[in-house]
Amino acid sequence: MPLDGITVLEVGVFMAGPYATMQLADLGAEVLKVENPTGGDPVRQAGPFVDGTSSPFARLNRNKKSVALDLKSPDGRAAFRRLADRADVLVENLRPGAMRGLRLDYETLRQTNPRLIYASASGWGQDGPLATLPGLDIMAQARSGLMSITGEAGGGPAKVGVPVCDLVCGLYVALAVTAALRERDRSGEGQYIDVSLLESGVSLAVWEAGKYFATGEVGGPLGTAHQSQAPYQAVRCADGWLTVGAITPKTWLGLCEVLGLQALVDDERFNDAYRRKENVAELIPLIEDVTSMRTVTELVAALNRAEVPCAPISDYGEVFTADALTKRGFLWDSTDGVRQLGSPMRLSRTPTQRNAAGPALGADTRAALLAVGYTNEEIDELVGGQS
């Protein structure tokens, strides 16, 4: 495994931190998820439940181990520090200042483990005017501008359907950690990583930044349409919707031929993708006059033959049973029988780990503490004092 031998401590709840460490666990790191003995990660209480276990938790925390420690107690903090002294990485997504208040911050822990890579995920970053405010994904989507361009023009505010700021923040944390591990191979030193949901969301605004910094124009919601090229959006069919992206000369010609709209090829309004975007209000009705009379299946087949990019809009019932995923082995069953989403990272020699679903609360406390020098008697005393 790429991260064999790397030990990661996670003090994470909900999404960003746990999603980051899930990536590291998939790559072979040993992830010790440190949870409060009373209740643990709040996602454990999120339904639906299967045999009493949270279905979302079982997937978000796969390939991890659970260590139950009360970090508000001196003994729990002492145990955590002993784990941190032997860890390579610590990932936390508590509110800024919380770990410092527990004396478990980077500056404290690096005194006894200078090789520690310490990553903090938060809503707004560890400093700045918003740092002390609570920051959830929907707030980050709002402040980052993502909600201002999501949805239909003239409609109410809409967020991206998944917690995209949380998830992208988690991916950036995982990427930064792997980069810091590589740098540590050269320097022998750890470092501190600060990733925010806000900046993660803003980092996605590549097209919007290109427009604003070039022209001063502020983008708005476009539904499914592209910011600068056309046709690149969903179009209505007789039995549903189809997405199409005919923005190159070849694919635009192919689309016109499939739809019998060859006259549009020489129409000055639609000479190139930029002009087609300028005149998209005239273009799409012409396209939908044809597509609305044909089925999605029929059009997908015809456009695929013409090598025009297109796809139907699938719901998740279709996605989770799709041949495109099942035949590539993307979906898999953990050792305890929980169906899992695969990792998009496909490494030819060192494939990602596929072991157990999210662990039971505290299932690995004893093994983890024995590994850092606790005796069984000391563990019994610590665990008993936490219950």
Side-chain angles (χ1 to χ4, degrees):
M1 300 294 295
L3 295 182
D4 267 347
I6 298 297
T7 298
V8 178
L9 292 184
E10 176 207 304
V11 185
V13 294
F14 293 109
M15 189 63 69
Y19 194 69
T21 57
M22 185 186 81
Q23 312 305 319
L24 302 175
D26 282 353
L27 292 169
E30 179 186 45
V31 175
L32 304 179
K33 182 179 180 70
V34 179
E35 303 180 76
N36 190 307
T38 305
D41 185 336
V43 176
R44 289 186 180 276
Q45 281 73 57
F49 297 89
V50 179
D51 296 329
T53 298
S54 164
S55 183
F57 181 90
R59 287 156 179 82
L60 182 58
N61 293 282
R62 67 186 183 216
N63 297 322
K64 301 179 188 179
K65 299 175 179 178
S66 175
V67 177
L69 292 175
D70 180 4
L71 299 184
K72 294 182 179 179
S73 74
D75 290 341
R77 289 194 297 274
F80 184 87
R81 283 192 291 270
R82 198 180 296 190
L83 291 171
D85 282 346
R86 299 197 186 184
D88 298 282
V89 177
L90 190 155
V91 175
E92 62 93 9
N93 69 329
L94 305 183
R95 191 181 296 192
M99 292 294 275
R100 186 178 303 110
L102 296 169
R103 297 288 294 161
L104 300 175
D105 55 298
Y106 174 63
E107 291 301 327
T108 299
L109 297 181
R110 71 189 291 258
Q111 300 304 314
T112 52
N113 183 2
R115 290 174 55 82
L116 181 66
I117 294 162
Y118 192 120
S120 295
S122 62
W124 318 114
Q126 298 300 303
D127 53 21
L130 302 177
T132 60
L133 299 178
L136 305 179
D137 176 80
I138 191 170
M139 289 84 198
Q141 288 200 37
R143 284 192 183 270
S144 69
L146 286 173
M147 287 181 69
S148 76
I149 61 168
T150 303
E152 295 291 338
K159 71 177 186 67
V160 179
V162 297
V164 64
C165 290
D166 265 329
L167 299 174
V168 173
C169 179
L171 291 175
Y172 278 134
V173 168
L175 177 60
V177 164
T178 54
L181 286 168
R182 178 68 181 94
E183 193 280 334
R184 193 184 70 175
D185 290 341
R186 296 194 296 266
S187 70
E189 297 182 14
Q191 58 182 302
Y192 184 68
I193 296 166
D194 172 7
V195 184
S196 74
L197 273 66
L198 173 62
E199 291 165 354
S200 297
V202 175
S203 76
L204 302 177
V206 177
W207 286 102
E208 291 69 30
K211 179 182 292 184
Y212 179 80
F213 291 121
T215 69
E217 184 181 350
V218 176
L222 299 171
T224 62
H226 195 277
Q227 295 90 333
S228 62
Q229 302 185 72
Y232 187 103
Q233 66 180 79
V235 295
R236 190 181 300 277
C237 301
D239 59 347
W241 295 84
L242 172 75
T243 59
V244 64
I247 55 178
T248 66
K250 179 181 177 181
T251 56
W252 169 240
L253 177 60
L255 176 67
C256 290
E257 289 178 346
V258 168
L259 300 183
L261 295 173
Q262 289 90 337
L264 299 185
V265 174
D266 298 320
D267 192 314
E268 291 185 358
R269 297 171 297 171
F270 312 127
N271 274 351
D272 56 42
Y274 181 77
R275 288 191 180 184
R276 291 193 291 274
K277 180 61 179 179
E278 284 189 323
N279 297 293
V280 70
E282 300 171 63
L283 174 61
I284 298 306
L286 294 173
I287 291 174
E288 289 189 334
D289 282 345
V290 179
T291 59
S292 63
M293 304 301 292
R294 299 169 69 176
T295 67
V296 171
T297 300
E298 175 190 358
L299 282 168
V300 167
L303 291 170
N304 282 341
R305 287 194 296 270
E307 299 184 347
V308 177
C310 68
I313 298 176
S314 303
D315 64 35
Y316 277 116
E318 295 166 322
V319 170
F320 296 147
T321 56
D323 281 351
L325 297 175
T326 56
K327 289 183 176 177
R328 275 173 55 82
F330 179 77
L331 301 164
W332 57 281
D333 293 320
S334 63
T335 53
D336 35 10
V338 177
R339 194 69 162 163
Q340 296 279 350
L341 303 181
S343 170
M345 298 179 284
R346 291 177 178 264
L347 289 76
S348 63
R349 290 190 300 103
T350 55
T352 52
Q353 185 170 205
R354 295 186 167 190
N355 288 332
L361 178 59
D364 306 285
T365 304
R366 185 173 299 275
L369 295 182
L370 286 171
V372 294
Y374 277 81
T375 66
N376 277 308
E377 291 74 16
E378 289 171 326
I379 295 171
D380 289 339
E381 183 177 349
L382 173 63
V383 172
Q386 293 181 151
S387 58

